[in-house]
């Protein structure tokens, strides 16, 4: 049910849920409170995080993470979705750090870089290389190392493409495009965003693709 919510939001296709008795996230959280179902709590949390992450609502991502950690400080959920949580948090922290210049967000982001780099080294380069590279790009951009950041963004795009992570290729293209525009490389930045838009469409995230298109129109 949580997955259906996430897909519906990113695709923007409400008709896909028209014939389903779909409970809202608030209703699902009430069920969690009544049943103390840790697995359902995790699903409600991670899919809400995914919704807000891909729509670039990074403050909400950070708030959701803090709220969940307070309620479930020793959560036993160690499955693959935990890795996605860490990755989403890292990107969000670096984006907030650039917007606010507050050191606490940088420190949180740096911890994520270490974690994901360790996953890449000890678990699976195939699964984590592109994520590690994208986090490094965000950190290098925060540090003002434009040349290194540019190289890391490009490497992340290539790794995600080579390893067939379509949505993460789209994400890396999007972040690289924004980076290029913000650093006065507008023509190539718009090209990267257009490719990202097309990748999101291929993934099925039509509403997200529309948000990228809106950004292109404003650039």
């Amino acid at each position: 049910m949580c997955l259906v919510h996430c897909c519906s939001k990113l695709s923007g296709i409400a008709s896909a849920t028209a014939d389903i008795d779909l409970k809202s996230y608030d209703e699902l959280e009430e069920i969690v409170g009544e049943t103390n179902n840790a697995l359902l709590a995790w699903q409600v949390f991670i899919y809400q995080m995914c919704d807000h992450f891909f729509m670039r609502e990074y403050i909400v991502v950070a708030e959701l993470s803090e709220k969940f950690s307070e309620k479930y400080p020793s959560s036993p959920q160690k499955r693959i979705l935990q890795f996605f949580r860490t990755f989403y948090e890292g990107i969000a922290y670096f984006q907030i750090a650039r917007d606010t210049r507050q050191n606490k967000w940088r420190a949180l982001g740096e911890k994520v870089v270490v974690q994901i780099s360790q996953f890449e080294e000890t678990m699976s380069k195939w699964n984590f290389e592109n994520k590690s590279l994208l986090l490094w790009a965000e950190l290098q951009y925060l540090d003002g190392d434009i040349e290194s950041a540019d190289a890391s963004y490009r490497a992340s795009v290539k790794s995600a493409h080579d390893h067939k992570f379509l949505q993460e290729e789209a994400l890396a293209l999007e972040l690289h495009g924004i980076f290029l525009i913000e650093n006065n490389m507008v023509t190539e930045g718009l090209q990267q965003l257009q490719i990202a838009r097309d990748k999101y469409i291929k993934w099925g995230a039509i509403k997200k693709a529309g948000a990228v298109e809106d950004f292109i129109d404003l650039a």
Side-chain angles (χ1 to χ4, degrees):
M1 189 171 289
C2 297
L3 176 60
V4 174
H5 268 298
C6 185
C7 292
S8 178
K9 180 169 182 177
L10 293 177
S11 69
I13 303 174
S15 60
T17 63
D19 297 328
I20 303 174
D21 181 17
L22 191 64
K23 296 186 182 300
S24 68
Y25 281 128
D26 287 342
E27 289 174 319
L28 290 171
E29 287 182 344
E30 287 181 8
I31 294 173
V32 170
E34 293 168 357
T35 63
N36 200 30
N37 186 322
L39 178 58
L40 178 58
W42 171 257
Q43 291 176 334
V44 172
F45 161 68
I46 196 64
Y47 286 114
Q48 283 190 89
M49 175 177 270
C50 181
D51 286 348
H52 294 293
F53 175 80
F54 277 102
M55 298 311 292
R56 297 181 56 80
E57 297 163 350
Y58 296 123
I59 291 291
V60 180
V61 170
E63 290 173 346
L64 279 170
S65 180
E66 182 177 6
K67 178 182 176 182
F68 185 82
S69 294
E70 288 175 353
K71 286 187 175 181
Y72 301 94
S74 300
S75 172
Q77 309 303 332
K78 301 298 182 184
R79 300 180 179 87
I80 188 67
L81 289 180
Q82 183 71 28
F83 306 143
F84 284 112
R85 172 190 181 176
T86 304
F87 176 58
Y88 294 161
E89 286 172 341
I91 297 296
Y93 293 151
F94 285 134
Q95 293 279 334
I96 298 170
R98 281 208 305 279
D99 289 341
T100 66
R101 313 308 297 183
Q102 293 179 5
N103 288 332
K104 71 173 185 177
W105 300 111
R106 176 197 175 90
L108 289 168
E110 287 176 334
K111 289 181 181 179
V112 172
V113 171
V114 172
Q115 287 179 286
I116 296 294
S117 295
Q118 288 175 342
F119 293 157
E120 179 190 358
E121 292 171 4
T122 63
M123 298 178 66
S124 173
K125 183 176 180 180
W126 182 283
N127 285 312
F128 294 108
E129 180 184 62
N130 70 295
K131 299 173 182 65
S132 178
L133 286 165
L134 191 56
L135 287 162
W136 274 111
E138 290 287 295
L139 177 56
Q140 289 158 345
Y141 185 16
L142 182 61
D143 285 340
D145 187 351
I146 302 304
E147 183 176 349
S148 295
D150 185 47
S152 294
Y153 281 120
R154 294 179 192 278
S156 179
V157 171
K158 184 179 186 303
S159 177
H161 177 80
D162 290 347
H163 298 151
K164 305 186 187 307
F165 296 120
L166 179 61
Q167 75 275 25
E168 291 172 17
E169 182 185 2
L171 174 65
L173 284 161
E174 179 187 8
L175 295 182
H176 188 215
I178 293 170
F179 160 83
L180 290 168
I181 290 170
E182 290 179 345
N183 287 279
N184 301 314
M185 294 173 273
V186 176
T187 299
E188 186 181 6
L190 290 173
Q191 291 172 349
Q192 293 292 78
L193 287 174
Q194 288 163 354
I195 299 170
R197 175 201 59 202
D198 294 343
K199 297 286 183 181
Y200 280 126
I201 290 172
K202 186 175 181 180
W203 185 40
I206 309 302
K207 184 176 180 180
K208 170 61 184 177
V212 175
E213 183 66 35
D214 290 341
F215 188 92
I216 291 171
D217 292 341
L218 292 173

